[in-house]
Amino acid sequence: MRTQHFNIFNTGTESFFTPGTQLANIAAVKPDAPAVIYVSPENKESVMTWRELHELSNRIAWYLLGQGVGPGKSVLAALPNIPTHIALAFGIWKTGACYVPVSNRAPQRNLMEICACVSPALVITNRKKPDGYPGLSTAELRTLCADCPADMPPDVLAIPNLANCSGGTTGKTKVIEQDMPAGESDEGLRTWFAVSGMRFEMRQLLAGPLFHGAPHSAAFNGLYCGNTLIMPAKLDAETIVRLIKKYRIEYVQMVPTLMQRISRMPGFRKEDLASLEVLCHTGGVCSQDLKREWLQIIPPERLYPRVLPTLESIAACEAANIPHRNIIAMQGPFSLDLNRVILEQFNIQWLVTKDGGAVGGFMEKAKACAYCGARLIVLRRPRENGETAESILERCRELL
């Protein structure tokens, strides 16, 4: 069985957890810690703790169950990024129903088209409710569920767990169901960690709307990991930079458009992003020039170059403004144990190395990264086309 801990991987066969189970585990471990910190358009901060998130989603689930919502049904959420939106998603999944997030700015005509596709049992929106479908505002929902039990209802699997809306290439409204259960497995989280750079209990900023696939995945996977999710109402470049600095954000996912707006922002200082450990960019092509700009934003204090103990190597590090305390000047190759010690000593989370083969001790580096949980970035050897035997013989004949 899965342990009651949320921030370790399980070795048993039952590593899958539902959203309700994981939320209950986190709320039991740190009930009063912040789960979601909402920053309003007026820059006012409100905090929802893990206990509050768990209990509100339980109350919402019990109310929905009382309205006949459950497996095989769907609930449409046309809402902005607000804490109740997060609680609603968890509440929907706790009933076994499908969560359908839609832009809160969708025109009424599009909203009606989506409703016609999914036939939602309930629509939650703070705008005009679609005609012919039962609907509530978030204020009405919270009032109606206030007297419902705070305990979690019987745990069920929500399959499909999510339906995303798309206009596709034709412009005609389509709904794409994810025919998989809500929740995650330890194996799935390991994969997510590998591709996204995330880890347990980070300070995370939500820099996109929840109805988009990438911000949605980052937000809920982050919550499954016990992250504190900073959720701003405004997603402009100035707000994002200010909140990264204020909350010392460690993880953020951005689209290249936002990255460009930040790097070109008047008065932007890369020091304001010094807390970032991971920037995951999705949602469009990121040009090489933009990537180079962001690589320059990484502060030299967070780089630990391992170089040959020569004057030239140390001078190159000094020219890059890398502090002397960060320079690891040693003659390799290194054993597995020594690589592990260095990674642990400096708390290295990303190791960038060239593919030096056996002579360069590449496998010892790779194994040390796997042991310590560090991410490995490999600079491959240039492709060698080589020459045929005939061409080499021809060259020899020319020389003779």
Side-chain angles (χ1 to χ4, degrees):
M1 295 294 292
R2 184 174 176 82
T3 71
Q4 292 302 304
H5 299 285
F6 72 90
N7 57 355
I8 60 174
F9 290 118
N10 297 282
T11 56
T13 57
E14 298 185 20
S15 73
F16 183 86
F17 56 83
T18 63
T21 299
Q22 188 73 337
L23 192 52
N25 287 341
I26 300 172
V29 173
K30 50 177 187 179
D32 299 319
V36 180
I37 299 177
Y38 175 65
V39 182
S40 73
E42 298 76 31
N43 293 322
K44 293 183 179 179
E45 176 188 292
S46 60
V47 178
M48 177 178 283
T49 66
W50 286 102
R51 178 193 287 116
E52 290 168 341
L53 175 58
H54 184 45
E55 292 184 352
L56 176 58
S57 63
N58 288 341
R59 295 181 194 279
I60 290 174
W62 281 114
Y63 173 76
L64 294 177
L65 289 167
Q67 302 303 304
V69 175
K73 299 294 182 68
S74 63
V75 176
L76 189 148
L79 296 172
N81 288 0
I82 53 176
T84 303
H85 192 165
I86 297 287
L88 173 63
F90 276 108
I92 294 169
W93 289 325
K94 288 178 179 181
T95 70
C98 179
Y99 161 57
V100 186
V102 178
S103 170
N104 67 305
R105 297 181 179 178
Q108 194 69 11
R109 176 178 60 83
N110 288 6
L111 193 58
M112 290 297 297
E113 290 176 352
I114 295 168
C115 287
C117 288
V118 301
S119 300
L122 186 62
V123 177
I124 308 296
T125 180
N126 292 331
R127 301 176 65 204
K128 184 179 183 300
K129 301 174 181 67
D131 296 331
Y133 297 92
L136 295 172
S137 68
T138 52
E140 291 169 334
L141 176 64
R142 292 186 71 135
T143 298
L144 290 169
C145 75
D147 294 328
C148 293
D151 296 333
M152 194 171 101
D155 204 16
V156 293
L157 283 179
I159 308 174
N161 74 94
L162 178 69
N164 292 114
C165 302
S166 170
T169 57
T170 63
K172 185 178 180 180
T173 300
K174 303 182 191 66
V175 176
I176 304 170
E177 289 186 345
Q178 290 191 8
D179 193 19
M180 54 192 300
E184 192 54 270
S185 65
D186 288 346
E187 293 78 12
L189 276 186
R190 287 180 190 274
T191 302
W192 174 254
F193 284 10
V195 300
S196 72
M198 189 179 284
R199 56 181 170 79
F200 289 115
E201 298 191 272
M202 301 184 83
R203 293 184 298 276
Q204 178 181 349
L205 180 68
L206 179 60
L210 283 171
F211 66 87
H212 278 175
H216 174 276
S217 296
F220 285 99
N221 278 331
L223 289 168
Y224 293 155
C225 295
N227 290 359
T228 297
L229 187 67
I230 313 301
M231 176 187 286
K234 298 192 296 184
L235 300 175
D236 58 282
E238 291 79 4
T239 298
I240 296 301
V241 171
R242 178 175 59 81
L243 295 182
I244 289 175
K245 180 181 179 182
K246 177 178 179 180
Y247 293 101
R248 297 195 56 74
I249 296 298
E250 297 167 312
Y251 185 96
V252 66
Q253 185 180 63
M254 295 186 196
V255 295
T257 302
L258 179 57
M259 293 168 61
Q260 185 174 60
R261 289 174 180 170
I262 289 175
S263 63
R264 312 286 167 80
M265 190 174 70
F268 168 68
R269 301 184 317 133
K270 64 181 183 180
E271 292 81 5
D272 293 340
L273 307 183
S275 63
L276 280 182
E277 294 183 11
V278 179
L279 164 65
C280 181
H281 70 75
T282 58
V285 177
C286 188
S287 69
Q288 292 297 319
D289 289 341
L290 185 57
K291 287 183 179 180
R292 291 190 189 98
E293 285 184 37
W294 276 83
L295 287 173
Q296 294 300 318
I297 290 172
I298 300 173
E301 293 80 9
R302 289 178 42 215
L303 298 177
Y304 290 82
R306 192 167 74 182
V307 298
L308 290 172
T310 64
L311 292 176
E312 292 81 3
S313 297
I314 295 174
C317 294
E318 291 175 333
N321 295 317
I322 295 172
H324 287 158
R325 65 178 179 274
N326 290 22
I327 302 173
I328 307 170
M330 301 175 67
Q331 178 72 50
F334 304 99
S335 67
L336 170 61
D337 288 338
L338 184 53
N339 278 308
R340 282 171 45 188
V341 167
I342 292 174
L343 292 176
E344 293 171 348
Q345 171 67 28
F346 295 100
N347 192 28
I348 300 298
Q349 296 179 20
W350 297 85
L351 175 62
V352 182
T353 180
K354 65 180 180 180
D355 183 359
V359 175
F362 176 76
M363 286 307 300
E364 286 76 11
K365 297 175 190 175
K367 290 178 180 178
C369 285
Y371 181 88
C372 298
R375 305 290 185 268
L376 182 64
I377 299 176
V378 182
L379 306 179
R380 294 295 184 190
R381 296 168 178 257
R383 182 180 179 85
E384 297 179 0
N385 295 322
E387 295 190 43
T388 65
E390 291 181 359
S391 65
I392 294 175
L393 287 174
E394 184 60 32
R395 285 176 179 269
C396 292
R397 292 190 190 101
E398 293 174 357
L399 291 173
L400 293 175

